[in-house]
Amino acid sequence: MTVLTPERAASVPAPAGRAGAPVRGRRGRGGAGLALATPFAILLTVTVLVPIGYALYLSLFTDRLSGLGFSGPRQAFVALGNYVDVLTDSAFHASLGNVALFVLVHIPIMLGLALGLALLIDSAVVRLKRVWSLAVFLPYAVPTVITGLIWAYLYSPNSGLTALLPFDPLGKTGILPSIVNIATWQWVGYNMIIFYTALQAVPRDVLEAARADGAGGIRTAWSIKVPMIRPTMFVALVFTVIGSLQLFTEPLVLRGFTGSVTSTWSPSLYVYEAAFIANDYGRAAAASVLLALVSALLSALVMRLSARRSR
């Protein structure tokens, strides 16, 4: 048997089939990753990036009549003129105020109810947990338009519900609580299922240790369960904020039953009125971009607070 010295061993060439194997392996993995990411990239481009780019393009133009108007409208470049018109429009300011009040009232009530129901179903007090979970979740399965029509008829003067309320649910002062009630009734079950699923992942040995230390059900829920599902709560809060800023169907349905809901009651209704009633697509696109920026800023703020609380 021949023993190679270090100098001689270093001079021996490596086999031809092994020298490039790591490089080819990395290239193969990179190609596989690119192939797997390509369908997602195409879908993201077609469904997200292209519509956003087209909305930004439309927001820089407006239709104007030339001459006597017989040749029809033509597109005119106005740069940021549409954004200035939207930001100085009192109707847009009122729509932002309405949706801000909706967010401040709806989100604490809905998420609070969802968390309370999830904690109650997760506890040992409630029996038939699946039945109660399904019963609370069922309103979410009803389409939003049908939900709005059901509550609109319940809010009508001919129903017995209005006699039990101290205010007119379709009046100017009662329309906001009515819309909050519809949205809460539909979305509380959805978020309850999310919270309940997160509670199932809480380690049972931690809960047993708390009970052994003498902690009651309420103390265990508030001091152990809620802090451990806080990341899930912040994610639900982000999605709820984004969905609340896009409030559209509920006021649109109630608009056919009362005059308290105007065509620009919410920012989404403002965009709808500008695009499909006034045919001012530039103003509608500008309002959509501004609404998207507000949603992004609020989402970033919530995520920043979530990151601070999780440290």
Side-chain angles (χ1 to χ4, degrees):
M1 181 176 65
T2 304
V3 179
L4 298 177
T5 62
E7 293 80 2
R8 186 177 178 183
S11 63
V12 176
R18 297 180 181 178
V23 177
R24 287 198 298 269
R26 288 194 294 269
R27 290 178 179 176
R29 289 194 296 269
L34 182 61
L36 292 174
T38 298
F40 170 77
I42 295 175
L43 185 64
L44 177 67
T45 302
V46 173
T47 60
V48 178
L49 299 182
V50 171
I52 291 177
Y54 187 60
L56 291 172
Y57 170 79
L58 284 179
S59 66
L60 303 177
F61 293 86
T62 188
D63 291 337
R64 289 178 180 175
L65 296 176
S66 59
L68 297 177
F70 295 107
S71 60
R74 63 178 180 84
Q75 272 195 339
F77 180 75
V78 294
L80 300 179
N82 288 321
Y83 293 95
V84 175
D85 293 340
V86 172
L87 291 175
T88 57
D89 192 353
S90 59
F92 186 72
H93 298 165
S95 67
L96 289 178
N98 291 331
V99 80
L101 289 175
F102 173 81
V103 167
L104 292 177
V105 177
H106 166 66
I107 291 181
I109 294 176
M110 190 271 295
L111 292 182
L113 284 175
L115 180 61
L117 290 172
L119 291 171
L120 187 61
I121 294 177
D122 183 66
S123 65
V125 179
V126 178
R127 298 182 179 180
L128 302 175
K129 296 182 179 181
R130 293 184 179 180
V131 176
W132 285 109
S133 300
L134 180 61
V136 178
F137 182 76
L138 274 179
Y140 174 74
V142 180
T144 309
V145 175
I146 304 301
T147 300
L149 290 174
I150 292 173
W151 281 101
Y153 283 110
L154 290 175
Y155 291 151
S156 63
N158 297 327
S159 68
L161 179 63
T162 55
L164 302 176
L165 297 176
F167 57 89
D168 182 8
L170 296 179
K172 290 185 178 181
T173 59
I175 194 64
L176 179 63
S178 300
I179 295 176
V180 169
N181 176 64
I182 295 174
T184 301
W185 183 79
Q186 185 173 27
W187 287 98
V188 66
Y190 173 83
N191 288 278
M192 184 271 295
I193 293 296
I194 293 177
F195 294 155
Y196 178 68
T197 304
L199 288 172
Q200 295 300 299
V202 175
R204 296 299 153 182
D205 54 347
V206 176
L207 301 179
E208 293 176 358
R211 296 190 190 98
D213 291 340
I218 298 178
R219 181 63 182 273
T220 302
W222 183 255
S223 301
I224 297 178
K225 292 183 178 180
V226 172
M228 297 193 74
I229 66 169
R230 186 177 290 124
T232 303
M233 294 169 59
F234 275 109
V235 171
L237 177 61
V238 170
F239 284 108
T240 304
V241 169
I242 296 174
S244 299
L245 292 177
Q246 299 173 359
L247 181 66
F248 177 74
T249 307
E250 292 86 349
L252 180 65
V253 172
L254 293 182
R255 185 184 169 195
F257 294 84
T258 176
S260 302
V261 179
T262 62
S263 60
T264 58
W265 195 87
S266 68
S268 296
L269 281 178
Y270 180 91
V271 173
Y272 178 83
E273 189 273 339
F276 301 108
I277 298 178
N279 293 324
D280 191 350
Y281 298 105
R283 182 163 59 93
S288 300
V289 172
L290 291 174
L291 182 59
L293 289 176
V294 172
S295 301
L297 290 176
L298 289 178
S299 301
L301 177 61
V302 173
M303 294 303 295
R304 188 182 182 91
L305 293 176
S306 174
R308 286 185 176 182
R309 293 296 299 271
S310 61
R311 290 176 184 175

